[in-house]
Amino acid sequence: MAKLKVGIIGAGGGVAAVHFQAYLEVDSIEVVAGAELNEVALEEVTTKWGVRGYTDFEEMLKTEQLDIVCICVPARYHRHVAEKVADYKVHILIEKPLATSLEDGQAIVDKCHAQGIKLYYGASYRMLTANIKAREMIQNGELGEISMALETVIGGDGLENYNECGPHHYEPGTPGGCGMGIVDHGIHLIDLFCWFLDSEVDTVFGRGNISGEIPASEHVTATFTNGVVVHLIANTISFSAQLPSEGIFRWGGSWDPDGKLSLEPGWADNPASFQIHGSKGALSVYPYAEQLIYFAKDTVKPVRLEQRPMPGNFAMQMESFVDSIINDRKPAVAGEDGLKALKIILAAYESAKTQQLIKL
Ligand SMILES: NC(=O)c1ccc[n+]([C@@H]2O[C@H](COP(=O)([O-])OP(=O)(O)OC[C@H]3O[C@@H](n4cnc5c(N)ncnc54)[C@H](O)[C@@H]3O)[C@@H](O)[C@H]2O)c1
C-alpha cells in the first residue's frame, strides 16, 4: 500500500521536532512537507528532515496532495488552522489542548464532522507504555475499587525565573500559564484519568494561572460519578524539594518539570509521576521513565513493560490514526475527547471565579 502523505504545520516548533523524529518509526506514512512562519526555523527543518517547506500553510495544502496534517501550532491558533485544513478535506491530528475555549474546540469538532474528515486528538500520554499498562491493571481489577488518582508537579527556580508559555500560545488575560501548568500539561492527565476510569467527571473545583498575570499554585479536584477523586497540583514558581536519590532512570525522552525537552535516556532527578490508589493496591506511574511500581499488602514490586520510549508514543499515536483512516474507523482518541478534557480544565477556572463547586 502507498504510504500516506503527511504535512506538519508549525514545523519549526518544539513539539514538531518530536513528531518528525517519531515518524521515522512509522512505515505507513511519509512526511513530505512542513509549514512554518519563521523562515530560519523552516530552513533548518527542510534541511534536517528532507521535506518541502512553506511559510504559508495554505500554500502547502494547495500544492501537496496530503492525507494527514499534524497541527503543531500554539493552541490559540488551533481553530483558525484546523478550519482551513478541513476546507481541503485533509485528515487532522491536532496537538493538545484542542483549543483555548470550548467554543473554538466545538467549532473544530463540528467542522471536521461536516467535512467528513477524521480528527485525532493528540493525547500522547495515552500512548506511553507505562500508562497503557496502568490502564490494563485498573481495568483487570488488580487495584480493586479505585478511590483516588493524583499528580503533583513541582519545579522551577523561583518566581523571578518563571517561564510561561506566553502570549503567542495563550492570549493574555485567558487561561494559560507555563508548560507544566494545568492547561498545557494537566490536560494530559485529565484525559488519561477519564480514559483509565471509564467514568464521567461530576464536579470540579480548582484554580489556574492566567496568561500574562502573576502565577500562583494551580490545582484541579475532579470528582467522578463513580466517586473517584482526581487531584492535580502544579507549582513551577518554587523549587523541587526532592532529593536526587529520589530520582529514577528513564528510557525515553521527556519534558522535565520546567518544560525542558530531552530526547535522550538518562537520570531524572525529579521524574514526572502520578499515583493511583485502589482497595487492593496502588500504582506509582513514571510515564516517561517507562516504569511502574505496584504496591499492595506486604508488596512493592516493579511491573514489566513492553517499552517503546518517548518519542515512541508519538509514533504509536500516528499508527493508531493511520489504522482508523485505512479501516474507516473512528479515531481511538477523537476530537470529543479533547473537548471533554478542556471542559474539565476550564471548569477549574470557573470555580475559582465563582468560588463554587462546578457541576458538569
Ligand atoms: N503532546 C505533547 O506532549 C506536547 C508537547 C509540547 C507541546 N505540545 C503542543 O503542541 C503545540 C505547539 O507547542 P510547541 O511547544 O511546539 O510550540 P512552539 O512555539 O515551540 O512552536 C510552534 C511553532 O508554530 C509556528 N507557527 C505559528 N503559527 C503558524 C502558522 N500560521 N503557520 C505555520 N507555523 C506557525 C511558530 O512559528 C512556531 O515555530 C501546542 O498546542 C502545545 O500545547 C504538545
Side-chain angles (χ1 to χ4, degrees), residues 169-183:
H169 278 255
Y170 296 103
E171 193 178 343
T174 69
C178 74
M180 291 307 285
I182 64 167
V183 175

Side-chain angles (χ1 to χ4, degrees), residues 9-16 35-38 41 54-55 57 71-75 77-78 80-81 95-97 122 124-125 168-170 184 188 255 288 314 317:
I9 305 183
V15 84
E36 170 58 54
L37 289 177
N38 179 323
Y54 299 83
T55 46
F57 75 86
I71 299 185
C72 296
V73 300
Y77 307 118
H78 281 185
H80 167 74
V81 174
E95 267 300 344
K96 60 77 203 168
S124 54
Y125 265 54
H168 60 294
H169 278 255
Y170 296 103
D184 215 64
H188 272 309
W255 278 270
Y288 285 128
F314 285 80
Q317 181 173 270

Side-chain angles (χ1 to χ4, degrees), residues 225-301:
T225 49
N226 62 6
V228 177
V229 174
V230 158
H231 184 61
L232 309 182
I233 186 150
N235 179 317
T236 58
I237 52 173
S238 185
F239 302 85
S240 165
Q242 274 188 299
L243 296 171
S245 59
E246 293 175 43
I248 201 164
F249 274 108
R250 56 176 165 71
W251 285 106
S254 165
W255 278 270
D256 71 13
D258 302 329
K260 211 166 108 236
L261 171 67
S262 160
L263 283 172
E264 295 299 321
W267 179 255
D269 281 351
N270 186 2
S273 73
F274 61 84
Q275 290 71 41
I276 305 162
H277 299 268
S279 55
K280 285 198 206 154
L283 279 178
S284 214
V285 187
Y286 294 84
Y288 285 128
E290 301 227 298
Q291 305 222 29
L292 200 56
I293 319 287
Y294 176 71
F295 301 78
K297 192 169 180 332
D298 303 326
T299 307
V300 181
K301 64 176 186 191

Side-chain angles (χ1 to χ4, degrees), residues 6-8 11 20 30-35 42-54 60 64:
V6 175
I8 297 181
F20 276 115
E30 181 187 4
V31 184
V32 295
L42 182 65
E43 173 72 29
E44 277 173 21
V45 162
T46 51
T47 308
K48 178 165 184 188
W49 301 107
V51 297
R52 291 177 286 278
Y54 299 83
M60 176 177 87
E64 304 283 344

Side-chain angles (χ1 to χ4, degrees), residues 139-159:
Q139 303 224 327
N140 287 344
E142 290 174 61
L143 271 60
E145 199 78 29
I146 305 297
S147 50
M148 185 169 75
L150 63 150
E151 189 202 46
T152 307
V153 174
I154 303 178
D157 280 311
L159 183 56

Side-chain angles (χ1 to χ4, degrees), residues 78-137:
H78 281 185
R79 178 180 177 176
H80 167 74
V81 174
E83 287 185 334
K84 290 266 190 245
V85 175
D87 281 337
Y88 288 81
K89 294 193 188 287
V90 179
H91 300 300
I92 296 175
L93 191 160
I94 193 160
E95 267 300 344
K96 60 77 203 168
L98 177 66
T100 52
S101 70
L102 292 181
E103 191 192 344
D104 284 3
Q106 188 69 58
I108 295 171
V109 169
D110 291 346
K111 178 91 187 217
C112 291
H113 279 309
Q115 294 294 95
I117 57 166
K118 296 191 193 299
L119 174 64
Y120 197 103
Y121 173 61
S124 54
Y125 265 54
R126 290 200 197 187
M127 299 291 172
L128 287 158
T129 52
N131 295 343
I132 293 169
K133 186 70 182 174
R135 180 173 190 259
E136 189 187 301
M137 292 176 73

